[in-house]
Amino acid sequence: MTAEPAPGAAPVSRPPEILPGMAPWRMWLDAQIRHNGRRLVILVPYVWLLLFFVLPFAIVLKISFAEFRVGVPPYTALIDFTQDAYLRLTLALSNYKYMLDDEMYVIAYLNSLRIAGISTVLALLIGYPMAYGIARAPKGPRTILLFLVILPFWTSFLIRVYAWMGILKGNGLLNTFLIWTGVIDQPLTIMGTEWAVFIGIVYSYLPFMVLPLYATLEKLDPSLLEAAHDLGCRPWKAFLTITLPLSVPGIIAGSMLVFIPSVGEFVIPELLGGADTFMIGRVLWNEFFLNRDWPVASAVAVAMLLMLVVPIMIFQNIQAKQAEAAEERS
């Protein structure tokens, strides 16, 4: 007869179950899963990050400290042996110095931040009412509305951008419709401008803004708004003092999901923008595939990644400290 553990006592690990005919490797695997199952589950995302973020970033970082050369690969080795068989490490900082000295890269970075920032604000202004309406809709229409938000993902991203080329060009659908309705007399020049880039980015990344906002707004307690209404609070004041502050986590998550990929966007500015739409994604493309200067291109990529990741890590650290302080006060 097996004794039941006392209430509150730590669970007692059971010995591995041995069945007749079970292979030794299967017994070992079952024992590892039984004893280290939680660690293995936690290990999966770390392995994912290691393979698809840390390792590629380490390769790009290594190339950024190399020097350009004509050959395959088009960069020098960081570690080699001298004629005296000594190990030699060569780190070239000239790529980063060249990037700082040439104002073209600075302009590309600033343009990328400006276009990504404006696009994020536009996506927030459009996405917040959409998410709010979906969260307040009845359950039946809510499912259909969410389906419509994610429906564009069923089509290729490139095809959707090409479709906007047909809509925004001089004799496209938009100008044809506006002239037919008498709103304008001459076609608007949208294609090849930053406005076309804003439209393309907002359209492409709008679901990334709507879905986190919806997840936050859907969890809000409606009794808070009811209590504010019973106390005589006007709807707009209740929205500004209750709904908007409580939806800040969704705003931050959606803004990050739109802003970060927009900074390095290449396809939309290349197809919808003009020669004046000079973003860092085009610089990377030119350095890698036209100039074949992989060390400089890698330095540009590393600088862009640090420019995005470091502020996010600082923000996450501040949020974690604020959460800990709030828990201690409570």
Side-chain angles (χ1 to χ4, degrees):
M1 182 176 179
T2 305
E4 294 292 335
V12 179
S13 60
R14 298 180 180 177
E17 186 177 359
I18 301 176
L19 298 177
M22 178 179 284
W25 67 269
R26 178 68 181 276
M27 293 170 56
W28 177 85
L29 182 61
D30 288 349
Q32 294 299 320
I33 294 175
R34 188 174 292 108
H35 294 295
N36 303 312
R38 181 177 300 178
R39 295 178 182 176
L40 290 174
V41 171
I42 298 174
L43 188 63
V44 171
Y46 284 102
V47 172
W48 179 275
L49 284 175
L50 178 66
L51 291 178
F52 297 104
F53 177 74
V54 177
L55 188 59
F57 177 73
I59 295 174
V60 173
L61 183 65
K62 165 183 169 293
I63 298 175
S64 70
F65 289 108
E67 293 181 348
F68 172 77
R69 75 180 180 94
V70 179
V72 179
Y75 54 87
T76 59
L78 297 186
I79 300 175
D80 59 352
F81 290 93
T82 64
Q83 294 181 351
D84 300 331
Y86 287 107
L87 192 65
R88 180 174 57 189
L89 175 64
T90 305
L91 295 177
L93 300 176
S94 56
N95 301 315
Y96 292 94
K97 185 177 182 302
Y98 174 74
M99 187 178 62
L100 293 175
D101 293 339
D102 194 338
E103 64 176 5
M104 178 191 72
Y105 299 100
V106 179
I107 293 173
Y109 277 121
L110 294 178
N111 274 339
S112 300
L113 293 175
R114 180 177 57 83
I115 292 175
I118 295 174
S119 302
T120 302
V121 172
L122 294 175
L124 177 61
L125 294 177
I126 298 172
Y128 198 100
M130 291 177 61
Y132 189 85
I134 296 173
R136 293 293 175 266
K139 288 187 178 179
R142 188 187 305 173
T143 305
I144 299 174
L145 294 173
L146 283 174
F147 172 74
L148 293 176
V149 170
I150 63 174
L151 185 61
F153 287 116
W154 291 18
T155 310
S156 168
F157 173 78
L158 193 58
I159 291 177
R160 284 182 279 144
V161 177
Y162 271 117
W164 275 106
M165 294 175 66
I167 295 173
L168 300 177
K169 63 183 181 181
N171 57 350
L173 292 177
L174 180 62
N175 279 318
T176 303
F177 175 76
L178 293 177
I179 293 175
W180 177 71
T181 55
V183 177
I184 58 175
D185 297 327
Q186 297 294 328
L188 299 174
T189 304
I190 302 176
M191 189 67 192
T193 65
E194 286 191 356
W195 286 107
V197 178
F198 292 143
I199 293 172
I201 292 177
V202 170
Y203 165 76
S204 300
Y205 294 106
L206 187 61
F208 296 110
M209 178 66 78
V210 173
L211 295 179
L213 281 170
Y214 164 76
T216 303
L217 293 170
E218 196 268 340
K219 294 178 182 176
L220 292 184
D221 188 358
S223 62
L224 297 175
L225 296 177
E226 293 174 3
H229 177 71
D230 293 341
L231 295 173
C233 184
R234 295 183 177 179
W236 271 107
K237 190 173 182 180
F239 172 78
L240 294 176
T241 56
I242 297 175
T243 304
L244 188 60
L246 292 178
S247 61
V248 168
I251 294 174
I252 295 173
S255 299
M256 286 184 176
L257 289 176
V258 174
F259 180 79
I260 292 174
S262 300
V263 172
E265 182 60 52
F266 169 73
V267 175
I268 294 175
E270 189 68 17
L271 296 181
L272 300 182
D276 297 333
T277 311
F278 190 59
M279 297 179 67
I280 201 64
R282 180 180 292 181
V283 174
L284 282 172
W285 173 273
N286 292 339
E287 295 293 351
F288 263 115
F289 298 103
L290 296 183
N291 301 334
R292 291 189 59 80
D293 195 342
W294 288 23
V296 171
S298 300
V300 173
V302 170
M304 183 180 69
L305 184 64
L306 294 178
M307 185 174 61
L308 294 174
V309 170
V310 170
I312 293 173
M313 293 180 66
I314 295 174
F315 175 76
Q316 293 288 346
N317 190 24
I318 294 173
Q319 270 203 326
K321 289 182 179 179
Q322 290 178 347
E324 291 177 359
E327 289 182 358
E328 291 178 357
R329 286 196 299 269
S330 61

